[in-house]
Amino acid sequence: MTTDHYAVVGHPIGHSQSPRIHGLFAEQTGEAIQYVAIEAPLDDFAGTVRDFFDRGGRGLNVTVPFKEAAWRLADEHTDRAEAAGAVNTLYRNERGRLVGDNTDGEGLVRDLTCNEDTEISGQRVLILGAGGAVRGVLLPLLQAGPAEIMIANRTAEKATGLAHQFSDLGPVSGGGYDALHEEFDLIINGTSASLAGDLPPVSPDVLTETTVTYDMMYGPDRTAFSQWALDHGVKRTMDGLGMLVEQAAESFRIWRGVRPDTAPVIAALRNHR
């Protein structure tokens, strides 16, 4: 059986969980793949990608800081990659053209709805941050049918501008943190503040006991955002580990035509932190 080659490309890349995740997917599904991590030089991402595919590679995942560069490099984009303005999954189609996709939003929605049994449809959703991570998940979130999405950011103009770009796709608005005083059903932290132990300057007025909070970041301990929510009476908080596994599963499905069972992989990662 021929072994097909896949990889994740980033800089730095030593911390990446992707080789382990895809290795577990391969064991589970019986797919004959090898998946490695590649650290691309900051000034030659395109050369690294071309070399990988020229050597017979079948697909690449792309992580920071190359997601926008991958978007520019792709010959074609899926609708969700086009909306995101960034690419985390690359492959060549039957015509040899490089296709860019973005599975981050799909990963977030599947983690919320399938793994965490959290409703998005009809809910009032607050998203903190207006950077690339948030832009990358907006289309799938809007497709899930929320009653509204509010994007809040330190720079209000950035949030309102992002909301305007997506306004044709659903009920989305934007503004600054200081304007937040209403309660929300679901709050998603799309900032990287938790990585430094910091918090977006959000009033606890946005929380109720039934609010669900989700931090797109994750780490060995509870994130600062999740701890803040718990300290203010929230009962259900989640981090982004499930999203990481789910976005990887969507890439695996695109490449191999089979969707792995993510639950045991998420459990394996949680138990071996």
Side-chain angles (χ1 to χ4, degrees):
M1 183 180 294
T2 303
T3 298
D4 293 327
H5 294 269
Y6 299 87
V8 58
V9 180
H11 187 111
I13 200 62
H15 66 286
S16 177
Q17 299 264 28
S18 294
R20 183 173 180 216
I21 292 170
H22 283 271
L24 291 170
F25 288 165
E27 289 178 17
Q28 178 193 119
T29 60
E31 294 290 307
I33 74 165
Q34 181 184 58
Y35 188 109
V36 300
I38 299 172
E39 183 164 304
L42 292 173
D43 60 353
D44 196 22
F45 169 73
T48 301
V49 172
R50 282 193 290 266
D51 182 65
F52 176 82
F53 283 106
D54 287 348
R55 291 172 178 267
R58 295 292 302 276
L60 283 176
N61 284 132
V62 181
T63 188
V64 292
F66 297 124
K67 290 185 179 184
E68 289 79 16
W71 191 92
R72 294 190 295 270
L73 188 63
D75 300 313
E76 300 178 11
H77 305 106
T78 64
D79 289 345
R80 55 194 180 186
E82 192 69 39
V87 159
N88 76 341
T89 304
L90 289 167
Y91 61 94
R92 278 182 173 164
N93 64 17
E94 63 279 359
R95 300 186 307 280
R97 291 174 63 78
L98 190 64
V99 179
D101 203 342
N102 191 307
T103 66
D104 286 332
E106 174 76 8
L108 172 60
V109 169
R110 285 188 68 90
D111 190 35
L112 279 166
T113 59
C114 299
N115 300 332
E116 302 293 347
D117 195 27
T118 298
E119 193 69 50
I120 299 173
S121 176
Q123 302 297 291
R124 300 189 69 237
V125 181
L126 171 62
I127 304 180
L128 307 178
V134 171
R135 182 187 174 105
V137 302
L138 274 175
L139 176 60
L141 281 172
L142 285 165
Q143 289 174 333
E148 70 169 295
I149 291 180
M150 173 67 182
I151 304 169
N153 193 57
R154 287 182 188 272
T155 306
E157 292 77 14
K158 189 172 183 181
T160 55
L162 183 59
H164 179 72
Q165 292 176 40
F166 284 80
S167 59
D168 291 343
L169 302 176
V172 57
S173 59
Y177 290 132
D178 56 357
L180 296 175
H181 299 290
E182 299 178 27
E183 298 169 351
F184 290 87
D185 303 306
L186 171 63
I187 303 177
I188 299 169
N189 180 26
T191 76
S192 59
S194 287
L195 296 178
D198 295 328
L199 290 167
V202 180
S203 167
D205 292 346
V206 299
L207 301 170
T208 71
E209 185 176 295
T210 59
T211 300
V212 176
T213 66
Y214 190 103
D215 197 333
M216 289 169 61
M217 302 298 113
Y218 66 93
D221 303 310
R222 184 177 291 134
T223 71
F225 174 74
S226 292
Q227 188 61 57
W228 170 79
L230 291 170
D231 289 345
H232 288 90
V234 168
K235 302 300 184 186
R236 295 187 63 216
T237 66
M238 298 154 240
D239 67 14
L241 183 64
M243 175 182 171
L244 174 72
V245 176
E246 291 292 347
Q247 64 81 24
E250 177 68 0
S251 293
F252 194 90
R253 182 198 65 79
I254 291 166
W255 295 328
R256 308 301 297 180
V258 58
R259 176 176 287 282
D261 181 3
T262 54
V265 179
I266 294 170
L269 266 62
R270 289 224 183 267
N271 294 335
H272 291 87
R273 281 183 171 176

